[in-house]
Amino acid sequence: MFKLIRTRIHQGYKTCNYPGKEVTLHPAFKGLPRLNLNCDQNIVEKCAASCPQDAIDPGTRLIDLGRCVFCGLCERISKGEFIRFTNNFELAATQRDHLITDGNLPDIAANAKKRFKDLFGRSLQLRQVSAGGCNACEADTNVLNTPFYDLSRFGIQFVASPRHADGLHVTGPVTRNMARALLMTYEAVPSPKLVIAAGSCAISGGPFRGSPEIIPLETLLPVDLYIPGCPPHPMTTLNALIRYLKKDRSE
């Protein structure tokens, strides 16, 4: 016991004080991109042609964050003249079309459903469902339960049973083998309930988009919150949940 107490004193307080204090991620992190809409069309078309996810529309000069895997190839090809990835981890949206952007996203706090804020603003229980993913999204989601992030201090927890949950946190592309299990899990969650699509695969199918073995999540369930990334950074998920459920950063 004394050894544990001594270790705790030596380590000090490890939990980040976000959102009370802003967090700056490592410079290598690729967050919200900024697009130069006045860039030379040839550069735009080269970026669009090279994108492995077809996330760039050369006509509108916008990027689909729901498809993007943040590989940074477009930034390297354009040498930052067309696309530049910032360190901003605030990437979530409440509507799918909001993710098709030039780098400006609507405030999810202002677009969140008020009834969810009223119901789950102080307590939210989520059932995580991996619908055929590679486990990267799940791994970064699990990090939120570590002392550094301490998700439970916000009243948000992941639970084992959908009957104890307020909603689903879906990761991975929905494979045909997982579709029925996902629907059964959703039906077991008491109403009212919310659905969160986390990661490129859950939002758009990711690298598996267009495969006959993939069923788009939106055709099965109503999605309330989209969290882009491949995988989404823990801070992106934390920010999305807090902003979606709280009225402002001080709550």
Side-chain angles (χ1 to χ4, degrees):
M1 175 62 71
F2 289 111
K3 183 178 180 180
L4 291 175
I5 295 175
R6 185 170 60 252
T7 301
R8 181 68 180 85
I9 294 174
H10 175 72
Q11 291 181 345
Y13 185 73
K14 293 295 184 180
T15 304
C16 71
N17 54 6
Y18 181 85
K21 183 178 179 181
E22 293 295 332
V23 173
T24 301
L25 300 185
H26 190 277
F29 171 72
K30 291 181 174 59
L32 186 67
R34 294 294 182 187
L35 278 67
N36 174 18
L37 301 183
N38 296 317
C39 182
D40 183 88
Q41 183 64 20
N42 290 328
I43 297 178
V44 176
E45 291 178 355
K46 286 181 180 179
C47 291
S50 65
C51 179
Q53 295 296 106
D54 293 326
I56 300 172
D57 185 335
T60 62
R61 300 189 172 202
L62 301 179
I63 186 170
D64 186 346
L65 297 183
R67 292 186 182 181
C68 181
V69 293
F70 298 83
C71 66
L73 181 60
C74 54
E75 182 179 39
R76 294 194 296 274
I77 288 177
S78 68
K79 297 180 180 179
E81 291 185 30
F82 174 49
I83 294 182
R84 180 178 60 84
F85 287 91
T86 71
N87 210 233
N88 185 354
F89 53 79
E90 299 183 2
L91 300 168
T94 58
Q95 297 181 35
R96 178 67 179 88
D97 59 350
H98 287 173
L99 294 178
I100 303 174
T101 177
D102 62 355
N104 295 299
L105 294 175
D107 182 8
I108 59 173
N111 287 274
K113 296 178 181 178
K114 187 177 184 303
R115 66 187 183 112
F116 284 159
K117 287 179 179 286
D118 294 338
L119 288 172
F120 308 132
R122 296 190 178 276
S123 177
L124 176 69
Q125 316 299 312
L126 294 172
R127 176 64 169 93
Q128 203 280 321
V129 178
S130 176
C134 67
N135 202 44
C137 291
E138 295 83 353
D140 273 23
T141 299
N142 289 339
V143 171
L144 291 172
N145 293 317
T146 62
F148 181 78
Y149 294 101
D150 192 13
L151 185 64
S152 61
R153 65 192 161 118
F154 300 105
I156 305 172
Q157 296 177 321
F158 288 92
V159 295
S161 172
R163 292 178 175 83
H164 300 160
D166 302 308
L168 299 182
H169 180 269
V170 184
T171 57
V174 182
T175 64
R176 292 190 178 277
N177 291 339
M178 278 299 298
R180 184 169 179 270
L182 176 61
L183 288 173
M184 291 176 64
T185 305
Y186 177 77
E187 291 170 359
V189 178
S191 296
K193 47 195 169 186
L194 60 87
V195 176
I196 300 171
S200 173
C201 287
I203 296 174
S204 66
F208 312 101
R209 181 175 53 88
S211 168
E213 299 304 315
I214 299 300
I215 302 176
L217 176 60
E218 285 184 306
T219 65
L220 295 174
L221 303 177
V223 179
D224 301 289
L225 180 61
Y226 300 86
I227 307 178
C230 187
H233 192 281
M235 284 304 305
T236 300
T237 301
L238 180 60
N239 169 264
L241 294 175
I242 293 175
R243 296 295 290 154
Y244 187 76
L245 294 172
K246 310 298 181 183
K247 295 179 181 178
D248 57 55
R249 293 179 184 271
S250 63
E251 288 187 83

